[in-house]
Structures are given as C-alpha cells and as structure tokens.
Amino acid sequence: MLQETGERQVKTSWAQVDFDHKMRYEFAASLVCDHARIADVGCGIGYGSYFMATSTPCQSVLGVDISEEAIEYAKTFYAHQNITFLRADAVELQEQITEKFDLITAFEVVEHIENAREFLMQLAKMLNANGLIVLSTPNESVLPFDKDTFRFHHRHYTLDELKELVHQADLDTIHCFSQNGTVVYDFSGNAMHVFVCQKKGETAKLTATASIADTPLNRMMACFERVNWLLEHVPQKNTRELVTQLEEIALAKSKLYHHLRIRKDAFFRKFNPTICLDNPNFSDVIGPLREGTEITQKFQCDKDGFCAVSVLPAIYEKKFVGRLITALHNEKNDLIAFHIFSKIYDNSEIIIWFLPIRESAGKNFYLKLYLEELGSDSALTFYVTEQTDGTALYKNEKQLENTLTYRMLFE
C-alpha cells in the first residue's frame, strides 16, 4: 500500500488533498480552453488529473507517473471517463506518448530529474501550437537544497537558473508566478516557482485568473507568508534563510509605507477640487451652533458624476452629544441623499455618499444640516472661508457672507 513520504500525497478524495497542492491545479485549470487535451506529468495518485478532468471544459487528460503503485492507486480512486493513466519514465516520455497536448502540467517534477533540460525539451515536443507548460519547483533562494532534507531531489533552482533551464530547453517563459502555501502570486520570489512556458516563437496568450496581483501590499503579505512557511517546513537548524526573510519583511514594510504615502497624496489630489479644503488658513468658523439650527449650503457642481459631499466640523468640547441630520437636494429640491450622524469628531470630515450624479456639471445643489437633541454642554461649529462664486451659505434662512468649507468627491 502506498505510504505518505512528504513527496507524494496519498488521499482518496480531492477534499483531503493539501491546499497548496490544490492551488497549483486550480491555477492550471484557469488556463484550460475548450476541448483542450491535457497531460499531467508526474501526476502521482491522480487527484490533479481528476480535478482538471471534472472542473474544466477539456477534452481529455493523460496522467503520467513513474510509479506503478501510484498509477494503480489513481485508477482505483480517481478513475474518470476522460482520464487515461499511464506508467512512464519522465525522461522517456516520447517513446510511449505520440499525441500532442494543449496544456502540460509538471508540478514538483524537475527537481527530481538529473537531466531536467532533456525532460523539458521532451515536454516542448509534446505541445500543440500555442500550447502551454505549467511547472512548479522549489525556489533555491528560499529553500536551499540540502540532500539530507530533500533526499528525493537532485537540486533546486533560483529564479535566474530556472529561466536559463527553460531557455536551454527551447522554451520561452511567458510569466514567472510563485507560491506560498495556498496563494499563487503574480510575481516571483516565494517558496515555490510556478512558471508558465511555451515553445519558442509561439504566441500563446496568458489568461490566468487564479493569481494575486503584484502590488506592494501583496509583496508585504507574501513576505509574512514566506516566513510562516519556513517556520513550518524548514528544519530549525537552517536559520540563515529565516533571518534573510525577516530582513526582507522590514524592507517590504518600508517600501509599502512609501507606496501608501504616494497613494495618499494622489488620492487627495484627485478628490480635492480647488473649491474645497483649498486653504489651510480657514478664515473663520460658523457657530457655535445650537439645537434647532439649520445650515444650508448652496453650491454649483463643476464636474460630472460627483458621488459625495463633505464638510469639516470643529467641536468645542471633547465629545459631541446630539444628532446632526444631513441632506443633499438638487435645484428642484428633490432629495438625493441623507444621513444622520450621532458621532462627530473634531477635524474629521462628515461625508454624505450617494450614487454618481450624471450630467450634473453647472447645476446647483443644496446641502442642508440640522442639529437636534444637542447636549447642554456640547456645541458644534463648521469651518468657513470667504464666499466664492456659485455658492451661498444660510443659517436659519438668513444668508451669511461666508462659504461652508466643503468638498465634492467625483466618480
């Protein structure tokens, strides 16, 4: 009976398979086109072949493994009308397989083969025009090869070494993904390389949907996951790589904070038109406002599709007690949106969101603010600036000379 060795999973159903193994096949499945012919080289006990046969619009799947025991297990637990399981040596594939394939998977195989270049060249010859090879293998930069630890492996590959191996096998690398645990990232550098390749000169298009985009935040998350993966899988004596990854976390954190600062600046440039919060030296405040006070701000929209309006409050006391009713009306006095605020903080914007208003350029809108149930020791004010064209401010229907400090957010 087959035994778990750490290299091969022995499971009787897809539900029992470890998530990291599942994720590789789910990623490959996202590349399968209608009526595709698939070869799962190094299929082991066949759960991945079964998943692709039952979850994609493929025509057929050929599962190949060197182990006779594994193939018999696959035929017992993962048989399907669209799957053929074949016992074959990976370095002698062309002697037994003459058909061509649209997708070939080789997960955790190349590290087991001494002549990996010859193996990949055979896979290339088995591809149809514009066919794809998806392979995965440990990253030497994260999981340094050690014969005592990885006794079934011949070697591991750095990113550059794997790129060179693929190139020598007359293949082009379409994209270098990588994996930590259950996540396939849209960039390299994690514990497992996940490469998508094609024959040289082909023009296959990659449409993978099972990846995580290459963003500073995702790189930061990948660093944390990489360390967790190392703690669970790498012997404690191998502390050098763990220290290296912890240093990478610090670097990624610094890069992420820098990126977020840039994004914050871009956000305020995008959502702060010149008419709102344009002057940090506010000319005055209106207030203190008492219970029953109604403030009406008339303003003119200078862009299409704005989706929120905000005002900036100032609080005399440490805590606001009461309710502020806010409403936005168009020039026909139709109610567009309203909101009731019971928690208001000093210098923290009050924002009323609504669906983007189409064809709103040049039209007048009215923001109405009404105070009720105000606590006896609580007061509220709003920052104001000098009145500008197209605006007017009213307090209990009496026009004032200032303009409420507000801003419009656009779609």
Side-chain angles (χ1 to χ4, degrees), residues 17-56:
V17 176
D18 289 352
F19 286 111
D20 58 330
H21 291 244
K22 285 182 177 180
M23 190 63 216
R24 286 192 282 274
Y25 280 104
E26 289 175 5
F27 173 77
S30 71
L31 303 173
V32 175
C33 58
D34 291 347
H35 310 297
R37 300 174 69 88
I38 302 172
D40 184 17
V41 179
C43 68
I45 63 169
Y47 54 81
S49 302
Y50 182 85
F51 173 77
M52 291 191 291
T54 57
S55 65
T56 72

Side-chain angles (χ1 to χ4, degrees), residues 62-90:
L62 174 65
V64 181
D65 199 271
I66 193 173
S67 169
E68 186 68 43
E69 281 187 303
I71 291 299
E72 290 304 314
Y73 194 97
K75 290 178 179 179
T76 301
F77 292 99
Y78 294 100
H80 188 272
Q81 60 184 3
N82 292 338
I83 305 177
T84 301
F85 288 112
L86 174 69
R87 190 271 170 194
D89 192 327

Side-chain angles (χ1 to χ4, degrees), residues 160-286:
D160 290 339
E161 288 170 345
L162 189 57
K163 283 182 177 179
E164 180 60 25
L165 175 65
V166 168
H167 177 74
Q168 291 177 0
D170 296 326
L171 292 166
D172 288 330
T173 301
I174 299 178
H175 199 82
C176 305
F177 297 91
S178 63
Q179 183 181 11
N180 264 346
T182 61
V183 181
V184 174
Y185 288 94
D186 195 13
F187 53 90
S188 61
N190 292 302
M192 307 299 297
H193 297 300
V194 181
F195 271 36
V196 181
C197 313
Q198 63 184 358
K199 288 194 287 189
K200 284 189 181 297
E202 298 286 358
T203 57
K205 293 183 179 180
L206 186 61
T207 57
T209 58
S211 62
I212 303 298
D214 185 0
T215 67
L217 180 59
N218 288 335
R219 282 186 176 268
M220 178 72 175
M221 294 299 295
C223 282
F224 281 111
E225 290 185 8
R226 194 178 307 143
V227 169
N228 286 332
W229 197 96
L230 287 167
L231 288 172
E232 293 177 3
H233 294 82
V234 178
Q236 294 301 309
K237 65 180 182 179
N238 190 357
T239 58
R240 176 183 59 83
E241 187 56 40
L242 185 58
V243 171
T244 299
Q245 297 305 325
L246 288 171
E247 291 173 348
E248 282 200 19
I249 284 183
L251 180 61
K253 178 180 178 182
S254 175
K255 290 182 177 179
L256 176 62
Y257 284 170
H258 176 71
H259 175 76
L260 291 178
R261 284 195 298 269
I262 293 175
R263 290 290 299 274
K264 178 182 177 182
D265 291 343
F267 174 86
F268 282 117
R269 284 195 300 272
K270 177 179 180 181
F271 291 120
N272 278 317
T274 56
I275 60 171
C276 68
L277 304 185
D278 58 333
N279 181 7
N281 299 314
F282 305 116
S283 60
D284 203 352
V285 292
I286 178 174

